[in-house]
Amino acid sequence: MKTYLLLANRAIDQFNRLIGWVLAALLLLMTVLIFWQVFARFVVGSPLFFSDEIARFAMLWLTFLGTGYAYRKGMLISVDIALEYANKTLSSLLRIVIILSSLLFAFIMVKYGFDLVERVSRQTAPSTRISMMWPYMAVPAGGVVIMVNSLGLLLDEALGTLPHTKQETN
């Protein structure tokens, strides 16, 4: 049983590695587009009509996918004073409740995110004329990443391994 849990945990880590590369590509795309927009506007004198819109859409995807990625790594801001002062059993129970709450929130993001995507799918972006479905798909996609990483944190709790969080300074 432990072997399967470890295998599932490794699969989630590989999923996060892929998400990390997607995040890096989105950040690179945003940087290039914004740089080119500034260059085209102030040096060439002819601004691009689509670059700021695509950069905004990339930022949406970066935010929602990055939230799930940061959640697994323990990089999100949190109030953990109760976890610090609780005994080991209570601390583990609190972490499980927090993870399950996050899982529920992510499920709501996915369910209502797809409803939102369906409602805006007939609208188009003003500059690029692409369907607004694509930028809004970031909401359910981010929810899926949070759900997968919540399962990874639950596996960490079940295996008794420390989650991928900040190193303690003590």
Side-chain angles (χ1 to χ4, degrees), residues 5 8-9 15 18 27 43 73-74 83 86 92-93 122 141 145:
L5 294 178
N9 218 357
F15 173 75
L18 175 67
L27 186 60
V43 176
K73 303 279 186 189
L83 292 173
S92 180
L93 182 64
R122 291 180 248 340
V145 174

Side-chain angles (χ1 to χ4, degrees), residues 1 9 35 55 68 80 82 88 98 104-105 130 133 135 144 151 155 157 170:
M1 179 69 166
N9 218 357
F35 174 79
D80 56 359
K88 188 175 180 179
I98 291 167
L104 176 64
F105 174 73
I130 64 170
M133 172 186 75
V144 167
L151 293 174
L155 288 174
E157 283 296 321
N170 297 351

Side-chain angles (χ1 to χ4, degrees), residues 19 24 34 36 53 60 123 166:
I19 293 296
I34 292 169
W36 187 255
E53 192 170 271
L60 281 170
Q123 298 175 10
K166 301 168 253 169

Side-chain angles (χ1 to χ4, degrees), residues 64-91:
F64 281 98
L65 293 179
T67 300
Y69 183 81
Y71 179 55
R72 171 70 175 181
K73 303 279 186 189
M75 298 166 123
L76 295 177
I77 190 168
S78 66
V79 180
D80 56 359
I81 193 164
L83 292 173
E84 288 181 22
Y85 289 107
N87 63 26
K88 188 175 180 179
T89 306
L90 182 60
S91 178

Side-chain angles (χ1 to χ4, degrees), residues 18-101:
L18 175 67
I19 293 296
W21 281 105
V22 170
L23 292 172
L26 286 170
L27 186 60
L28 177 66
L29 175 69
M30 275 181 53
T31 304
V32 168
L33 283 174
I34 292 169
F35 174 79
W36 187 255
Q37 173 69 8
V38 170
F39 179 79
R41 178 170 296 190
F42 294 109
V43 176
V44 178
S46 176
L48 300 174
F49 66 92
F50 62 88
S51 63
D52 57 338
E53 192 170 271
I54 293 175
R56 262 194 317 267
F57 295 163
M59 188 155 134
L60 281 170
W61 278 89
L62 189 68
T63 301
F64 281 98
L65 293 179
T67 300
Y69 183 81
Y71 179 55
R72 171 70 175 181
K73 303 279 186 189
M75 298 166 123
L76 295 177
I77 190 168
S78 66
V79 180
D80 56 359
I81 193 164
L83 292 173
E84 288 181 22
Y85 289 107
N87 63 26
K88 188 175 180 179
T89 306
L90 182 60
S91 178
S92 180
L93 182 64
L94 282 173
R95 276 194 302 274
I96 290 171
V97 168
I98 291 167
I99 294 167
L100 290 175
S101 299

